Amino acid sequence: MKTAYVCLCTDVIHEGHLNIIREAAKLGRVVVGALSDEALIRYNRFPTINLDERVKMYESLEDVDEVIVQDDMLYDKVIKELHPDYVVHGDNWKEGAESSLRNNVIGLLKEYGGELAEIPYTYNEEVRKIDKLYKERLAMPEYRRKRLRQLISLTPIVKALEVHSGLTGLIAENTVVENNGRLDQFDAMWISSLCDSTAKGKPDIELVDMSSRLRTIDDVMEVTTKPIILDGDTGGLTEHFVYNVRTLERMGVSAVIIEDKTGLKKNSLFGTEVVQQQADIADFCDKISAGKKVQLTDDFMIIARIESLILERGMEDALTRARAYVKAGADGIMIHSRKKDPAEIYEFCDTFRKEDSETPIIVVPTSYNQVTEEELAGHGINIVIYANQLTRSAVPAMQSTAKEILKNHRALEVDEKLMPFKDIIRLIDEL
Ligand code: SPV
Ligand code: MG
């Protein structure tokens, strides 16, 4: 009896999947590989049911003889162990980033004469509808909110990209690249106070009020499913912060990060070049505790951001604050630095991790941008935030375009640097 192997990474079985399995059954004994959560989150949409549930679901399908777990996006291990006569897949992976996985499978099968059977992908109205419903489910607050905590336990380091609009949200949501044969994507979104303010032409001094910030969050949420970390600045008055925690939690935001500053907040990257005052430890602890007290789910996270290194108050001060904030209920610690060298960040993380192996650590490597995600994870860091790079790439591009048009009294010269208008009108799909 021949073996036909099908890897599935779906939460919802539709006609397209059933068709692939039916075709596989014509070729031999059907072994389904359920892609592990760790592999799935890099490759596809976030799972709404866990691996055990997916395995049970696949086992219940007619024509499926056995279900195994495929714990890597690449088929190497599975193919080497199983030596299937056929790998069966929809033909929709011939193009785009997934084609690298296809090429890898072709290479592996060639080694022993296995065959790739590609089934024309069913993409009818019903399949389209199921696909859309599945995506919309992920955008619901109860799914989105808990996803950050799920990611922290699933991946060595959660990668968050700055967004400040529906369009930048779509970039964080949809950008997928191939890296050494595997696919990769961002895990989460950071709604930066700097970039949200900049997009509105305002300075980053808590001038853009919470109603406006909520509007930005809503614009992003309308078109995305990935979890949101809000830059909550100082959190404002404790009496106001508790209301904002409730609102953010209800909307489906996963975490708010508040920084231990008081008075007129300026951007941290100014450091000591401007007057900035760090909050009293006890007052800031009260703010954290008050926020934790009012939240209704276990999903929502209040993360305390320590500004001691930014304000040159020393490592001991940073560590003292970290201990106090965790005791007050903080669900994570963000440690910030504007040095070019990551040494002080690593010293903080290594010391903190010796005392506390659990509390998530978050960093924003804007100035020390040479560090890799792997190095950060090696120092016990759980979330890396790319806090402003989308905005910083857009501003020079727009300034240069404006100058070119002014210089040439027409738009011809600049056109080759621009996205073709045929593409911009198709960038956003209609319902
Ligand atoms: C932001 O992105 O607004 C931040 C990070 O708070 S930083 O600009 O580095 O202070
Ligand atoms: Mg900020």
Side-chain angles (χ1 to χ4, degrees):
M1 184 87 182
K2 299 212 169 193
T3 308
Y5 180 72
V6 183
C7 177
L8 288 181
C9 57
T10 185
D11 282 13
V12 191
I13 297 288
H14 58 53
E15 212 184 304
H17 306 116
L18 292 176
N19 185 42
I20 289 171
I21 288 167
R22 253 194 319 267
E23 291 300 320
K26 290 181 192 162
L27 299 169
R29 185 174 171 273
V30 178
V31 179
V32 164
L35 197 62
S36 67
D37 291 336
E38 289 81 353
L40 189 53
I41 60 169
R42 294 276 141 259
Y43 174 73
N44 203 298
R45 283 198 204 133
F46 199 84
T48 57
I49 55 173
N50 66 31
L51 179 65
D52 284 348
E53 292 167 310
R54 290 200 300 282
V55 167
K56 286 205 183 83
M57 184 169 80
Y58 303 159
E59 279 171 346
S60 72
L61 298 175
E62 213 186 314
D63 290 331
V64 170
D65 295 290
E66 187 187 348
V67 179
I68 59 172
V69 174
Q70 179 175 329
D71 58 17
D72 188 5
M73 188 187 306
L74 296 179
Y75 286 55
D76 295 59
K77 195 166 145 231
V78 156
I79 290 188
K80 284 194 177 119
E81 282 172 12
L82 195 68
H83 269 257
D85 300 284
Y86 299 94
V87 166
V88 187
H89 201 284
D91 64 357
N92 54 324
W93 69 342
K94 283 186 177 165
E95 270 150 36
E98 270 186 282
S99 62
S100 64
L101 300 179
R102 178 177 183 264
N103 293 339
N104 182 247
V105 167
I106 292 172
L108 292 164
L109 291 170
K110 214 176 189 173
E111 286 174 24
Y112 63 93
E115 275 182 56
L116 175 63
E118 289 180 314
I119 315 297
Y121 196 72
T122 316
Y123 215 61
N124 58 27
E125 262 319 298
E126 190 55 25
V127 168
R128 226 185 287 268
K129 199 168 135 202
I130 291 174
D131 215 41
K132 208 169 132 252
L133 278 178
Y134 174 35
K135 184 166 182 207
E136 300 216 330
R137 190 189 321 172
L138 281 172
M140 296 298 281
E142 61 272 30
Y143 285 101
R144 195 196 296 251
R145 192 172 46 226
K146 65 181 176 198
R147 191 161 148 185
L148 186 64
R149 282 198 192 270
Q150 292 174 314
L151 278 160
I152 291 171
S153 64
L154 274 176
T155 182
I157 189 156
V158 174
K159 304 186 284 265
L161 185 68
E162 177 266 317
V163 307
H164 55 267
S165 60
L167 179 58
T168 48
L170 283 174
I171 290 173
E173 180 81 10
N174 296 330
T175 304
V176 177
V177 295
E178 185 236 311
N179 233 338
N180 297 326
R182 290 184 174 80
L183 307 190
D184 204 1
Q185 56 179 303
F186 288 101
D187 300 297
M189 298 178 284
W190 163 246
I191 303 205
S192 149
S193 67
L194 170 66
C195 300
D196 199 2
S197 306
T198 302
K200 291 168 171 61
K202 297 276 169 67
D204 182 18
I205 53 171
E206 294 189 283
L207 174 64
V208 176
D209 67 10
M210 192 46 85
S211 304
S212 175
R213 306 290 312 278
L214 295 176
R215 182 68 237 171
T216 304
I217 296 170
D218 196 46
D219 284 346
V220 171
M221 282 186 160
E222 283 264 358
V223 295
T224 63
T225 64
K226 290 185 178 176
I228 292 177
I229 305 169
L230 176 72
D231 176 356
D233 288 320
T234 65
L237 294 172
T238 299
E239 292 82 349
H240 295 177
F241 180 58
V242 288
Y243 282 92
N244 291 329
V245 164
R246 277 272 171 87
T247 307
L248 296 168
E249 187 185 27
R250 188 178 62 246
M251 287 173 87
V253 170
S254 302
V256 62
I257 301 189
I258 52 171
E259 61 193 272
D260 56 358
K261 288 209 290 247
T262 185
L264 180 65
K265 189 221 79 151
K266 297 270 174 89
N267 186 276
S268 299
L269 301 174
F270 283 121
T272 49
E273 292 160 31
V274 294
V275 179
Q276 306 210 53
Q277 206 189 334
Q278 205 168 9
D280 173 74
I281 296 183
D283 290 349
F284 198 67
C285 285
D286 286 347
K287 197 181 283 188
I288 296 166
S289 309
K292 287 309 292 176
K293 218 189 270 168
V294 298
Q295 76 179 63
L296 296 175
T297 68
D298 291 332
D299 306 333
F300 189 74
M301 300 173 77
I302 297 179
I303 296 169
R305 164 171 168 175
I306 297 171
E307 294 286 290
S308 308
L309 305 180
I310 291 285
L311 300 174
E312 296 175 13
R313 303 281 294 270
M315 191 58 66
E316 255 328 297
D317 186 71
L319 287 162
T320 304
R321 285 171 179 271
R323 291 177 198 119
Y325 300 162
V326 171
K327 214 165 156 201
D331 299 295
I333 293 292
M334 174 180 151
I335 183 70
H336 205 14
S337 163
R338 63 178 195 131
K339 295 250 164 76
K340 278 194 172 325
D341 184 326
E344 63 176 14
I345 287 287
Y346 288 164
E347 187 188 339
F348 174 91
C349 295
D350 296 345
T351 315
F352 182 72
R353 269 286 165 263
K354 274 193 209 129
E355 303 171 13
D356 181 335
S357 59
E358 291 296 316
T359 306
I361 307 178
I362 295 90
V363 296
V364 180
T366 300
S367 54
Y368 54 98
N369 55 11
Q370 70 276 32
V371 297
T372 64
E373 289 159 2
E374 203 180 347
E375 278 164 22
L376 296 174
H379 288 274
I381 292 160
N382 304 82
I383 304 181
V384 55
I385 298 178
Y386 297 101
N388 46 49
Q389 287 77 8
L390 283 191
T391 297
R392 285 166 60 208
S393 60
V395 173
M398 292 193 284
Q399 282 171 333
S400 148
T401 299
K403 281 184 190 162
E404 286 287 310
I405 295 173
L406 268 183
K407 253 191 239 159
N408 295 294
H409 303 284
R410 61 179 190 180
L412 172 74
E413 286 72 12
V414 81
D415 209 64
E416 64 178 18
K417 288 197 212 144
L418 307 183
M419 180 180 211
F421 65 79
K422 287 194 197 79
D423 292 352
I424 189 83
I425 58 177
R426 287 184 181 79
L427 186 67
I428 317 282
D429 283 337
E430 283 187 38
L431 274 180

